[in-house]
Amino acid sequence: TVARFGGDEFVLIGTSIGDARDAADLATRVMAALQAPVRIADIDIHTSPSIGIAMYPDDGTSIQTLLAHADAAMYSAKQNGRGTFRRYESGMHAGTEDRVQLESDLHNAVTLKQFELYYQPKVDTRTGEVRSAEALIRWAHPTRGIVSPAEFIPLAEECGLIGVIGAWVIREACRQARAWQDDGVPPLRVSVNLSASQFRDSGLLDSIRRALEDTGLEARYLEVELTESAVMSDPEQSIAILEHLSAMGVLVSVNDFGTGYSSMSYLRRFPIDKLKIDRVFIDEIVSRPEDASIVRAIVSLAHSLRLKVVAEGV
């Protein structure tokens, strides 16, 4: 029996498996089948399954226990690099229990509107003026307090919630920017971070367009930030998406520049507006001549391409 259990989670129930060796053989066959490329829209999609095994009665005698222990073993397989399987072992469940609870809470957070946006100012170094602001999401958890995006965004991507959360961030940032304008604040551009999976989502452009229309914010006051690795994972597709954003009037910034693997030939083709230097180079710019040299090189490169530069972590 094969059943879909969650966003990207499936459960197999084998009633004729005799021992752990049989279960391992089945897992190996499943992995071999899933690792074959699937062609979608002229692109070969490669999957990397992670499988957890729990056996009756050694690993549990109830449906709930067996599922929980198989889930724990699956997360253990993921942590070991994916593309593998693990049999449940005592002690695996401790870390997974907290993760499962956090995932359940995350689903509730979307419904209960527990997310907040904090706004980090971007300052013009020549004038000292605040020119724009970056929207940073925080989860106001009822018992854990403020949860960092570093903790819940990867989980949101795994359980299929990143699209809903990302759309809320875009809409809320646009709403706030327009509200500031209506209150008489000089117009500020707001920037939002897009994850790699959001950037590849076919509904991204429509989501941004609706947010702008519904809030009445002009597109030039919205900026999206993408990591260097997200843009470079499929350069040709990235160019098409970025051109649509540019045509809408939305500004595009490449985040964490200098830590990824940009190709200069693609960088000049990307319709982007800014490079954002990763804070790893800014933190020790005074004490490490090498970091200062890298920053000078990035600034020179950006200006030669008529791009603005943002330094992170000043």
Side-chain angles (χ1 to χ4, degrees), residues 163-175:
V164 175
I165 294 173
W168 177 85
V169 170
I170 294 168
R171 179 178 292 272
E172 175 60 17
C174 290
R175 185 204 64 77

Side-chain angles (χ1 to χ4, degrees), residues 62-306:
S62 69
I63 293 171
Q64 290 79 6
T65 302
L66 287 167
L67 281 173
H69 287 177
D71 200 46
M74 183 269 292
Y75 278 116
S76 177
K78 270 189 176 183
Q79 290 166 0
N80 281 310
R82 303 172 185 254
T84 185
F85 63 88
R86 291 288 301 274
R87 164 85 185 274
Y88 174 75
E89 297 174 7
S90 179
M92 279 183 177
H93 192 58
T96 305
E97 200 167 50
D98 183 64
R99 184 186 179 87
V100 170
Q101 182 62 56
L102 194 65
E103 183 175 326
S104 174
D105 292 348
L106 191 58
H107 281 273
N108 291 332
V110 173
T111 306
L112 299 175
K113 298 182 172 68
Q114 293 175 347
F115 297 112
E116 301 173 352
L117 289 188
Y118 286 49
Y119 294 90
Q120 177 170 272
K122 295 182 183 177
V123 178
D124 187 328
T125 54
R126 288 173 299 183
T127 64
E129 290 180 299
V130 175
R131 301 292 295 273
S132 57
E134 180 180 355
L136 303 171
I137 189 172
R138 297 292 184 267
W139 176 10
H141 193 283
T143 58
R144 298 172 187 252
I146 299 297
V147 182
S148 163
E151 188 174 351
F152 70 83
I153 290 298
L155 185 60
E157 290 185 321
E158 283 187 19
C159 64
L161 288 174
I162 192 63
V164 175
I165 294 173
W168 177 85
V169 170
I170 294 168
R171 179 178 292 272
E172 175 60 17
C174 290
R175 185 204 64 77
Q176 182 61 75
R178 182 55 200 254
W180 281 330
Q181 291 180 17
D182 292 343
D183 287 342
V185 177
L188 286 178
R189 183 181 299 111
V190 291
S191 62
V192 296
N193 291 283
L194 298 183
S195 70
S197 58
Q198 269 183 285
F199 184 53
R200 303 292 172 205
D201 190 329
S202 59
L204 172 67
L205 296 173
D206 285 339
S207 178
I208 291 175
R209 193 175 289 109
R210 283 197 303 272
L212 292 169
E213 290 174 353
D214 293 348
T215 60
L217 184 72
E218 293 180 50
R220 62 187 172 131
Y221 293 119
L222 177 64
E223 179 179 334
V224 295
E225 296 192 11
L226 299 153
T227 63
E228 190 178 356
S229 55
V231 174
M232 290 302 299
S233 62
D234 186 341
E236 294 299 333
Q237 184 188 9
S238 295
I239 289 171
I241 298 171
L242 294 173
E243 285 176 344
H244 281 295
L245 288 170
S246 182
M248 289 168 60
V250 175
L251 273 71
V252 178
S253 173
V254 175
N255 216 341
D256 302 338
F257 189 80
T259 60
Y261 48 88
S262 279
S263 162
M264 295 302 109
S265 63
Y266 277 113
L267 188 60
R268 66 183 173 81
R269 292 178 57 197
F270 287 146
I272 59 178
D273 304 282
K274 294 180 184 176
L275 293 184
K276 193 172 183 183
I277 305 174
D278 190 87
R279 70 177 302 147
V280 71
F281 302 115
I282 303 299
D283 282 345
E284 298 185 63
I285 194 173
V286 176
S287 58
R288 285 175 56 90
E290 300 90 344
D291 287 0
S293 296
I294 290 172
V295 170
R296 285 194 194 95
I298 295 174
V299 171
S300 177
L301 170 67
H303 287 174
S304 68
L305 294 171
R306 297 185 180 84

